[in-house]
Amino acid sequence: MEFDPANPGSLKGKIVVDAASLHVPNPMMQGHLQGPMWLDVKQFPEISFEAASVDNVKTEGGKTTADVTGTMTIKGVSHKITVPVQLTY
């Protein structure tokens, strides 16, 4: 992610997570989570979110909050979502 504290509305970038790194405490549940019925980490090894726009930016001191809209991709399926974020600089 690229964040300019002088212009927080210009936030851009992409977050990529290794799907196999997600963990639940129960080994059976872990197997199901990573298996073909759920995340299918062998075929879809990454989960990503790419920021497209930033709204409702508020900065107080070194903390900025905003709503970031972007594309979330899980198991090869992409959807536009908006998430609240908090950035500390």
Side-chain angles (χ1 to χ4, degrees):
M1 300 301 292
E2 292 180 29
F3 172 68
D4 178 1
N7 184 11
S10 68
L11 175 84
K12 62 182 175 180
K14 183 176 185 179
I15 297 170
V16 179
V17 175
D18 177 1
S21 73
L22 299 178
H23 178 75
V24 293
N26 180 301
M28 183 180 284
M29 290 173 67
Q30 184 73 26
H32 290 303
L33 176 69
Q34 293 182 352
M37 295 290 288
W38 289 85
L39 292 178
D40 196 359
V41 299
K42 288 182 182 174
Q43 186 173 353
F44 303 99
E46 295 181 344
I47 297 170
S48 66
F49 176 78
E50 186 163 10
S53 65
V54 182
D55 296 302
N56 302 319
V57 178
K58 296 179 182 83
T59 300
E60 290 184 26
K63 183 169 78 172
T64 298
T65 58
D67 295 325
V68 178
T69 300
T71 302
M72 174 72 90
T73 303
I74 301 174
K75 201 174 173 181
V77 178
S78 298
H79 289 283
K80 182 178 175 182
I81 64 169
T82 300
V83 294
V85 298
Q86 178 177 311
L87 306 160
T88 304
Y89 178 75

